Amino acid sequence: MSSLVTITSKFYDKSGRRVINLNVKSRYKGSIRENLQKTDDNGLFVFQSSSNRIVEILAKPPNAKDYTVFKTINSSIVSSDHNPIKVQLPKTIEEYKKGNVKQPASGTVFTLFKVVDSTGKVMFNFPIQSRPKGKKTFERSTNKEGVAEIESSPNREIEILVLTSNDKFILKKSVNSGNGSKQPILIKLDEPYDSFKSLSTITLLDKNDNNYIVEKTNVEILALDSGEKNIITASNGKIVVRGHIGKWVKITVYRPDGTPLKSVDYLPQRINARSVKLHLDVDVTKGSTQQDKPVINKSINHKDCSSECIIQTYSFETSLGIMIISKESLESILKWEKYESQPYVPSKGGDGKSGVTLGYGYDLGQQSTEQIKKDLTLYYTPNQIQRLLKAQGKKGVSAQALVSSLSDITISKNKAYDMVMIVKKRYAEDTLKIYPDILKYHPHCQGAILSLVYNRYIGLKGNRRKEMREIQGDLKKSGSNVPISLRSMKRLWTTKQNRGLQARREDEAKIFEKGLKCDCYK
């Protein structure tokens, strides 16, 4: 019997808000057996599956006739409450609720209400609450005609509460549902439309619920009905948006390099909304956007820095803190870990130490079976992973003898880049196991040492690792001798086939030296 894995998914609507109490279910692809649930108060849908199975995640939004598949995954994907699988609906919940008036189910009726302001202006997308008399309230919004439909039992006392400009709901109408209504019952507010101006404090999050805190973040706020546009700047991951209740705004966050992230629509529904969260299509922890999108670049800038020290960086969150490497050092790593679409063995096995390698230098000979399964899940099929596992631990000529049988397994450049960024995060964690002091150095220096560890890993024993030990001690001091140790390692690679490793150590030494010159960095 296969072991079960727990899968945690989280549902968002088009505006980025979590969707609670949503009808959801999961099933193996092609199976008729289904697991029906509702999302919890955090929008989570948690279920179990056998490992390494293709699983479909379905949902039935309001007014939908049936369930729709919104996500197909391999069950081996890693997820948790803090890193759920994101499932986004193509519409907002309000848009789903706007649909045509439904035919009442057996034993229920629909009563229609139309909301206007004190001057008779139609209030569309306007929040109201309804309840059977003396019972719990349910919140909904009017449609583009200002109409809301309330389902209830026949001849039931229904109470309607409306929002006021002091941000409270008050009882405005009480009616008997009778047999339902074909014409809307009018609800006239005591205040004009202009009284319902909103002020929303919005926390920006990435797609995994991490705070999006980037210094001097420019944000464009576009009112969709009027076309009015404003640019604001934030540095603490929060923005304040002014608008009107029921009027959509489009929020566009710009990267430090001036390019926009994917816009997010937002509908104000309170006069003072202080706990709104918007999810951006970006992963701050990995420092990259979704697959096939550019990475986020953060500028290291200080008033005392020279122009050479003002650089772009990438961040990796670790258990000891955030490791920040320069764009230049990352590009150097990728230069030496060149991209190949098919599996290959560096030096064709002549160095005796390299294994079957994928994409940007992912060496199967250096990884455990479990690590390979975890790292490759998003980029290869289960069958391909099983075949690639034959190369686990094999190096040199034994790896070269195997590689031709795997030549049909390919990876695109974009996927290979996405995979290497995830692997770099793991190597950042490993780097700090032996070099925790590197965090106090400039991103050029951090990137050079990450490059070293990615290439040689973290062993410190034996004569071949003498310089690795020296670097460990020197980082506790000034780091001034690290370039010397990097260049000293060239003694290990003296053949023609290994000249690339000598050149790589030289590049790392030069980048580290450049970082040492930037003593303005703290």
Side-chain angles (χ1 to χ4, degrees):
M1 183 176 180
S2 61
S3 59
L4 292 177
V5 294
T6 298
I7 299 171
T8 302
S9 60
K10 189 168 185 175
F11 278 79
Y12 304 90
D13 72 359
K14 178 184 175 183
S15 71
R17 289 175 294 174
R18 66 178 183 272
V19 183
I20 66 174
N21 203 35
L22 178 70
N23 292 313
V24 293
K25 62 184 179 181
S26 64
R27 68 188 179 199
Y28 297 128
K29 190 171 184 178
S31 173
I32 59 173
R33 296 182 62 185
E34 298 174 326
N35 166 36
L36 278 75
Q37 291 187 40
K38 287 182 180 288
T39 55
D40 65 14
D41 290 343
N42 292 313
L44 295 176
F45 170 34
V46 182
F47 59 94
Q48 289 191 314
S49 164
S50 297
S51 60
N52 219 17
R53 296 289 299 272
I54 302 300
V55 176
E56 295 177 329
I57 301 176
L58 305 88
K60 185 181 179 184
N63 286 340
K65 293 181 179 179
D66 206 349
Y67 284 83
T68 299
V69 176
F70 285 100
K71 198 85 170 182
T72 301
I73 62 169
N74 184 294
S75 61
S76 297
I77 189 172
V78 178
S79 63
S80 66
D81 287 359
H82 299 294
N83 185 31
I85 297 163
K86 182 180 179 181
V87 184
Q88 188 154 29
L89 306 181
K91 300 179 182 179
T92 65
I93 290 301
E94 289 76 17
E95 289 172 327
Y96 281 113
K97 290 178 178 178
K98 281 182 190 175
N100 295 329
V101 176
K102 301 175 288 186
Q103 294 299 315
S106 176
T108 64
V109 297
F110 283 95
T111 307
L112 306 181
F113 296 89
K114 184 170 184 176
V115 182
V116 298
D117 75 350
S118 60
T119 69
K121 179 180 176 65
V122 172
M123 301 293 284
F124 53 87
N125 296 329
F126 189 75
I128 67 169
Q129 293 180 350
S130 66
R131 66 189 179 202
K133 189 172 183 179
K135 301 291 184 180
K136 180 181 178 181
T137 59
F138 296 89
E139 187 167 329
R140 64 204 69 215
S141 296
T142 59
N143 63 17
K144 62 183 179 181
E145 284 81 35
V147 175
E149 56 181 16
I150 310 300
E151 184 179 6
S152 70
S153 302
N155 296 307
R156 191 70 183 263
E157 291 298 318
I158 300 173
E159 296 181 332
I160 303 296
L161 297 87
V162 299
L163 184 70
T164 64
S165 62
N166 63 1
D167 230 9
K168 295 182 179 179
F169 282 89
I170 63 168
L171 179 63
K172 190 63 178 175
K173 183 77 74 172
S174 182
V175 301
N176 187 290
S177 63
N179 292 318
S181 63
K182 294 184 179 179
Q183 293 299 320
I185 297 168
L186 187 66
I187 296 179
K188 192 171 185 178
L189 305 179
D190 298 327
E191 303 170 277
Y193 166 78
D194 284 342
S195 296
F196 294 92
K197 294 178 180 178
S198 67
L199 189 67
S200 303
T201 301
I202 298 176
T203 300
L204 302 177
L205 303 172
D206 76 354
K207 57 187 177 183
N208 294 321
D209 282 336
N210 299 305
N211 288 325
Y212 181 84
I213 300 176
V214 178
E215 187 176 358
K216 295 183 180 179
T217 296
N218 287 326
V219 184
E220 177 186 281
I221 311 297
L222 173 66
L224 293 181
D225 66 325
S226 66
E228 181 182 350
K229 186 185 297 184
N230 289 299
I231 302 292
I232 60 177
T233 301
S235 295
N236 61 353
K238 293 186 178 183
I239 58 174
V240 176
V241 176
R242 299 180 184 275
H244 269 93
I245 300 295
K247 283 195 173 183
W248 287 96
V249 296
K250 185 182 291 294
I251 299 174
T252 306
V253 176
Y254 286 83
R255 302 181 182 90
D257 65 1
T259 57
L261 293 171
K262 184 178 179 182
S263 299
V264 180
D265 291 339
Y266 169 62
L267 180 67
Q269 292 194 300
R270 292 293 186 275
I271 303 299
N272 287 293
R274 295 186 176 87
S275 57
V276 181
K277 296 179 179 179
L278 282 190
H279 289 82
L280 305 174
D281 191 20
V282 66
D283 188 328
V284 173
T285 302
K286 285 167 38 180
S288 66
T289 60
Q290 66 177 3
Q291 181 181 311
D292 299 330
K293 299 292 183 181
V295 296
I296 285 186
N297 298 322
K298 296 182 181 180
S299 294
I300 293 297
N301 197 340
H302 190 278
K303 64 180 181 180
D304 297 324
C305 286
S306 67
S307 59
E308 291 183 352
C309 301
I310 300 172
I311 59 171
Q312 292 181 317
T313 67
Y314 301 87
S315 300
F316 301 97
E317 188 174 339
T318 75
S319 60
L320 295 183
I322 296 178
M323 189 174 196
I324 305 173
I325 70 170
S326 64
K327 181 181 179 182
E328 182 178 340
S329 62
L330 176 65
E331 289 175 346
S332 177
I333 295 174
L334 297 185
K335 177 181 72 175
W336 296 111
E337 304 292 350
K338 64 178 182 177
Y339 160 73
E340 295 282 353
S341 62
Q342 297 176 312
Y344 67 100
V345 180
S347 303
K348 298 188 181 300
D351 62 4
K353 298 185 180 300
S354 298
V356 174
T357 304
L358 310 176
Y360 281 107
Y362 185 87
D363 191 337
L364 296 170
Q366 310 290 342
Q367 315 295 333
S368 69
T369 297
E370 290 305 311
Q371 194 64 60
I372 291 172
K373 290 179 179 179
K374 181 179 179 181
D375 289 341
L376 304 191
T377 296
L378 296 177
Y379 310 103
Y380 294 90
T381 67
N383 179 59
Q384 288 173 331
I385 293 173
Q386 285 302 120
R387 291 175 59 197
L388 291 170
L389 282 172
K390 296 177 183 177
Q392 187 275 323
K394 291 184 170 60
K395 302 174 185 177
V397 292
S398 60
Q400 182 62 25
L402 180 64
V403 72
S404 61
S405 67
L406 304 172
S407 61
D408 61 305
I409 302 176
T410 61
I411 186 171
S412 70
K413 193 169 187 177
N414 285 326
K415 283 187 175 182
Y417 184 88
D418 198 39
M419 185 173 80
V420 82
M421 292 302 286
I422 290 178
V423 175
K424 289 290 186 294
K425 179 186 176 184
R426 175 161 60 84
Y427 272 85
E429 186 76 41
D430 290 337
T431 298
L432 297 182
K433 290 178 182 177
I434 60 170
Y435 300 130
D437 297 287
I438 191 62
L439 290 182
K440 66 186 181 184
Y441 288 83
H442 189 276
H444 279 327
C445 302
Q446 295 189 46
I449 296 302
L450 178 61
S451 174
L452 173 67
V453 171
Y454 189 69
N455 180 239
R456 300 198 67 196
Y457 203 49
I458 60 175
L460 295 175
K461 296 180 179 179
N463 181 57
R464 291 184 63 84
R465 297 281 170 163
K466 179 174 73 74
E467 292 85 359
M468 300 279 284
R469 294 192 298 273
E470 291 172 351
I471 290 173
Q472 188 181 55
D474 196 46
L475 287 175
K476 296 180 184 297
K477 302 172 184 176
S478 65
S480 59
N481 288 328
V482 170
I484 297 173
S485 296
L486 288 168
R487 291 187 172 100
S488 176
M489 290 184 201
K490 295 178 185 180
R491 67 182 175 86
L492 302 173
W493 307 289
T494 57
T495 65
K496 183 177 180 180
Q497 295 100 318
N498 289 330
R499 285 177 182 171
L501 288 171
Q502 290 187 338
R504 179 170 184 163
R505 296 292 90 83
E506 182 63 30
D507 272 4
E508 290 163 355
K510 288 179 178 178
I511 292 172
F512 198 98
E513 285 173 333
K514 187 180 291 188
L516 288 178
K517 294 177 182 178
C518 298
D519 55 4
C520 60
Y521 176 76
K522 303 295 181 185

